[in-house]
Amino acid sequence: LSPFGARLTAALVAVAVLPLLVALPAARWLEEDNAGAWLAPRVAARLAAEPATYQALFRARKELYAEQARALARGLSLDPGAARARLEVAVARVAHLRRAALLGRDGATVAEAVAPPGPDDEQGWRAVPVRVRLAGGAELRCTFGVEAAFFAALDETRELAEVARGMEQTRAEVRRSILLAFGGLVALAAAIAALLGHLLSRRTVARLALLAEAHRRVAEGDLSVRLDPGRGRDEVDALARGFNVMVEDVRAARDRIVYLEKISSWQEVARRLAHEIKNPLTPIQLAFQQLQARWGARPGGDPAFGALLGEVGAIVRQEIATLQRLVEEFSAFARLPDARPAPADLAAFVDDFVRTSPQLAAEADVLRAPPPGPLPVAIDAELMRRVLANLAENAVQAARPARARVHLETGRSGDRASLTVADEGPGVDAALRERIFDPYFTTKEAGTGLGLAIVKKIVLQQGGEIRVGDRPGGGAAFTITLPIAG
């Protein structure tokens, strides 16, 4: 794992684990606070004492019922009618007395009274029998009712007391379980964060490694390297796209500088060639003219020699004219001025060139595509006219012997304006497109190879570019792109 990947993984682990580590003391405090309040020894002891309280209350109830039964037995007559009347009054007045029966010495029932059903009977009762011995061997049997909810509360209290004792005993186990659960959660979060960090860092580090390698190759002079920005929109992808744009700009700037330096060197060569060729031309021409004049001044000379001299003279004059034309082109190339761009509208400039070039209209049909709108650029109008004239002349020559059709089109793409000059000739071979702008390289029998070199130099000096391609439908298309003026 690279240092960057390790730092990224550590950062993700920290982000995932730190909140849990902070929450761990809070969870422990909550566990101690809540569990402590619930499982406090005082609470557990109180719950354990509750059944005894209920039992004491039940015993008090039984003693109360026994006392009430003894009070009823005092003065109770053995007369069935009187006994029944008193027992009915008792079950009506004494709370919780559900039944009262007077039994004789022989065990037979002398009198009996039963309390009528009441609203509390739906909750249920539990019978509590009480017996009281009377004089003469008689017996009073009373049945008191205790609410069933009393015994249910007693059973529930006993169960809660048992639970409290069990939970108090397992309090340490609960705390340990909570801490282990949080510890496991922290470990799981750390493992997941580390895995995600490794996966993310591996991809990011690989992309950054490619970027670093590309920078190294560029530093070594390799400007052909390009990065695949992918389909993402993160900063690394944006950096890759920016790197490609930067390398392309550097390559274009380097090619521009190299080409301009090469053109400057060839201009110096052209200047010297023009000087070296021009110097002997005049003496050669004068010497031959003198030879012809001397021959013409001698009448009666050899007719065959005179004919030969005339043929040789025509050849010499023709070659001298060719050399003079080369000297003129070399001199013009050597004296090519630097561009002085000024604000102009490219579409209007092209329209003005067509309007003021009658010789072009005489040699070709000019097809002008409608411009998309104003195209503000900075150009040297005089030099750009020379560029257009050269490209139009090439288009005319490419169509010969047929009448030429020259296509002129201006457009815009982003922050660049374009001017395309296309013909309907045979086109330019793809293998020659890299060399076609080199000085002294030509595919024409009578060409010097300087026209397109001059065109490219003028375009480069104005911050533009020129390339050659195929015209849809056949022919060559030369496209000039210039930056839109601010």
Side-chain angles (χ1 to χ4, degrees), residues 77-81 83-84 87 99-114 138-141:
S77 174
L78 295 178
D79 178 63
R84 182 182 298 108
L87 292 179
R99 180 177 176 274
L102 178 61
L103 279 67
R105 181 182 304 172
D106 56 356
T109 300
V110 176
E112 182 180 14
V114 179
E139 184 181 26
L140 176 63
R141 294 182 179 182

Side-chain angles (χ1 to χ4, degrees), residues 15 28 86 93 139 168 214 228 235 242 283 288 319 356 377 389 395 442 444 446:
V15 169
R28 184 172 182 178
R86 184 166 181 177
R93 292 182 177 181
E139 184 181 26
E168 184 66 21
D228 181 13
E235 287 75 8
F288 199 81
E319 295 302 324
T356 58
V377 294
T442 181
K444 303 175 185 177

Side-chain angles (χ1 to χ4, degrees), residues 385-430:
R385 285 186 64 88
R386 185 169 181 177
V387 168
L388 269 181
N390 192 301
L391 294 178
E393 182 181 355
N394 288 347
V396 171
Q397 293 176 357
R400 287 175 179 170
R403 180 172 175 80
R405 291 164 60 91
V406 180
H407 299 263
L408 296 178
E409 181 179 357
T410 52
R412 177 171 182 169
S413 177
D415 59 348
R416 308 285 289 184
S418 64
L419 166 60
T420 301
V421 181
D423 59 60
E424 297 181 0
V428 179
D429 190 354

Side-chain angles (χ1 to χ4, degrees), residues 338-350:
D338 292 333
R340 296 181 180 179
D345 183 271
L346 185 60
F349 168 78
V350 174

Side-chain angles (χ1 to χ4, degrees), residues 428-436 438 441 443 468 470:
V428 179
D429 190 354
L432 302 178
R433 292 176 185 176
E434 293 295 327
R435 303 180 56 194
I436 197 171
D438 290 344
F441 177 82
T443 59
V468 60
D470 295 325

Side-chain angles (χ1 to χ4, degrees), residues 235-317:
E235 287 75 8
V236 178
D237 291 329
L239 190 59
R241 286 189 289 270
F243 174 84
N244 291 339
V245 172
M246 178 197 70
V247 173
E248 182 62 28
D249 291 343
V250 171
R251 184 200 61 78
R254 185 197 64 176
D255 292 346
R256 180 181 293 109
I257 293 173
V258 170
Y259 188 83
L260 291 177
E261 290 179 349
K262 182 167 63 174
I263 288 293
S264 298
S265 300
W266 279 110
Q267 282 183 290
E268 179 63 23
V269 172
R271 185 187 64 79
R272 294 183 179 181
L273 283 175
H275 180 73
E276 295 297 331
I277 294 174
K278 184 178 180 180
N279 284 341
L281 281 183
T282 302
I284 292 174
Q285 186 175 11
L286 291 176
F288 199 81
Q289 289 176 353
Q290 289 177 0
L291 179 61
Q292 285 184 322
R294 290 288 297 270
W295 172 256
R298 295 179 59 184
D302 187 354
F305 179 78
L308 178 61
L309 186 60
E311 292 176 4
V312 172
I315 295 174
V316 170
R317 285 191 296 271

